[in-house]
Amino acid sequence: MNYKIALIKGDGIGPEVVNEAVGVMEAVGKKFGHTFEFVDVLLGGCATDAVGKSYPDGTAEKCKACDAVLLGAVGGPKWGSDKPAEQRPETALLAIRKDLGLYANLRPAALRPAMADACPLKKETAEKGIDLMMVRELTGGIYFGKRDKYQTEDRGLEATDLMAYSEKEIERIGRRAFELARLRRKKVSSVDKANVLETSRLWRSVMHRLADEYSDVQYEDVLVDNCAMQLVRDPGQFDVVVTENMFGDILSDEASMVTGSIGLLPSASIGDTAPGLYEPIHGSAPDIAGQDKANPIATILSVAMMFRYSFQRAEEANAIEAAVDAVLAEGWRTPDIAEPGVTPIGTKEMGRLIREHI
Ligand code: IPM
Ligand code: MG
């Protein structure tokens, strides 16, 4: 096959990790007989610097002409929250998610075998294994609701952010979660705050309807505060966790830390039509940018997710994941995951070793 891939290298360590992931793709192409056409797409702080806005006109169209999008990372202190919205990298990230219809964000948090010691939880807890899939609703809720800031007569400035969800939005993300659970350990934990929020009560009622329909899948409701606690108490209990946008933002960072390093975790954002967008869940780490210190594994594993979810190529995905595990099992570590006493290797060397294993 020939695949056309949009590359959004972005800011900070983004370009470095994307370069290694592209190298891995080419190695996979050689082995399995695929070719790639790469299209560079400007988005994020680098776009603000180049053309004055973080989401240049035509960005979505360029991406839509491709089979998938690979994104490194966007953001940095240079384009902080004091800057106008159109210059902030986060604005661009939310816009591309919305414009490509990427309502389902899959964030697997798994303890890789060679990394069991990196789990900050008790040994007994880690030994039970951690392998969960966070399914975060990505184009609705408080992230996209109406915002306002206005002067009041007696309380000074006041601000509001509206959280809204429709049955339709809840149902489509719910279906994704149940379908994924069927391919895994057949359990869905739906996270909400139904004891307080109206949106959560609607969320819960739609999920219950789906739970009846997918009766072969075990289902539970979990309140978001309890979920935050359970993730550090006993993360092994979770298989698929489905939740709304902001809860998912917060819980997926927590889940990632439980597996030892945010530098290892990939993500996929998908909708009902191509292209999906694949990115590491870590940020742009401006403090180490350009120093060959970043961990490229999360981006490389995002490419594995691309093969699995956008191209339905499980064999290629497995080959990438096996190569990563083999390199980790040999003891190679970038600085973020190096145990004391281990001499770390750089971004490029990690990429090269993984390519070699493919
Ligand atoms: C994430 C990030 C983004 C989000 C930010 C950068 C807007 O934290 O992808 O989790 O909140 O969705
Ligand atoms: Mg986040």
Side-chain angles (χ1 to χ4, degrees):
M1 287 287 288
N2 179 55
Y3 297 110
K4 193 170 168 187
I5 313 284
L7 297 180
I8 301 177
K9 294 186 179 177
D11 309 317
I13 58 171
E16 294 165 75
V17 293
V18 168
N19 286 342
E20 295 317 309
V22 164
V24 167
M25 274 182 140
E26 276 164 346
V28 168
K30 225 185 232 167
K31 178 168 171 153
F32 292 89
H34 307 305
T35 50
F36 303 96
E37 183 187 335
F38 296 107
V39 181
D40 275 308
V41 175
L42 195 62
L43 181 149
C46 55
T48 300
D49 287 351
V51 300
K53 45 188 173 182
S54 61
Y55 191 60
D57 302 338
T59 301
E61 289 65 31
K62 269 190 204 156
C63 291
K64 281 180 189 167
C66 295
D67 299 307
V69 183
L70 181 66
L71 189 150
V74 297
K78 190 173 167 195
W79 314 280
S81 50
D82 54 320
K83 294 283 188 306
E86 72 274 11
Q87 293 180 16
R88 292 201 300 265
E90 291 77 10
T91 308
L93 201 55
L94 299 193
I96 188 104
R97 288 171 179 172
K98 192 75 169 178
D99 287 348
L100 297 183
L102 308 173
Y103 64 83
N105 183 216
L106 316 186
R107 297 188 166 185
L111 196 56
R112 308 206 80 81
M115 294 299 297
D117 287 344
C119 174
L121 304 181
K122 284 204 194 103
K123 208 161 184 277
E124 310 89 84
T125 312
E127 271 164 2
K128 282 203 244 167
I130 303 169
D131 181 10
L132 66 89
M133 177 70 87
M134 188 78 68
V135 179
R136 168 187 175 192
E137 200 291 325
L138 201 61
T139 54
I142 200 164
Y143 271 60
F144 292 93
K146 195 168 168 285
R147 307 183 198 299
D148 208 357
K149 190 165 90 178
Y150 46 87
Q151 190 68 50
T152 64
E153 257 172 33
D154 50 352
R155 302 181 306 281
L157 276 173
E158 197 167 279
T160 67
D161 296 276
L162 182 73
M163 182 185 317
Y165 267 109
S166 66
E167 278 185 287
K168 224 172 141 179
E169 285 176 298
I170 300 168
E171 182 175 335
R172 64 182 184 180
I173 189 75
R175 281 194 188 282
R176 287 281 182 168
F178 279 97
E179 295 290 340
L180 276 165
R182 277 187 169 161
L183 303 172
R184 298 171 46 99
R185 303 194 306 280
K186 293 196 172 183
K187 180 177 175 190
V188 168
S189 306
S190 168
V191 176
D192 64 36
K193 189 71 185 173
N195 52 351
V196 177
L197 302 177
E198 201 56 50
T199 41
S200 283
R201 287 189 279 273
L202 180 64
W203 179 279
R204 196 176 271 208
S205 71
V206 173
M207 289 295 165
H208 284 192
R209 230 158 52 208
L210 292 173
D212 288 343
E213 188 183 323
Y214 292 82
S215 54
D216 54 319
V217 176
Q218 194 192 335
Y219 175 85
E220 65 178 357
D221 299 307
V222 185
L223 290 171
V224 63
D225 47 349
N226 183 29
C227 183
M229 182 179 77
Q230 296 299 333
L231 276 173
V232 289
R233 197 187 69 86
D234 178 22
Q237 69 184 288
F238 294 116
D239 179 17
V240 172
V241 177
V242 62
T243 191
E244 68 88 33
N245 206 341
M246 188 166 65
F247 295 163
D249 177 46
I250 298 166
L251 294 176
S252 61
D253 269 28
E254 187 189 2
S256 75
M257 205 52 235
V258 159
T259 68
S261 170
I262 198 160
L264 296 177
L265 298 188
S267 80
S269 302
I270 51 192
D272 289 327
T273 50
L277 183 148
Y278 298 81
E279 59 175 317
I281 79 160
H282 61 68
S284 60
D287 52 321
I288 58 163
Q291 298 171 38
D292 196 39
K293 283 186 181 161
N295 188 345
I297 291 181
T299 315
I300 290 169
L301 290 173
S302 299
V303 169
M305 291 189 89
M306 182 188 290
F307 276 103
R308 180 167 291 124
Y309 296 107
S310 275
F311 308 150
Q312 276 71 48
R313 296 265 176 194
E315 218 183 312
E316 286 83 339
N318 292 339
I320 296 172
E321 287 161 359
V324 167
D325 283 332
V327 170
L328 290 174
E330 286 170 7
W332 301 105
R333 300 286 186 269
T334 42
D336 57 309
I337 51 171
E339 300 88 359
V342 172
T343 311
I345 58 171
T347 311
K348 290 191 183 129
E349 181 64 2
M350 182 57 94
R352 192 189 64 77
L353 287 165
I354 293 169
R355 282 199 297 280
E356 218 164 64
H357 273 276
I358 287 169

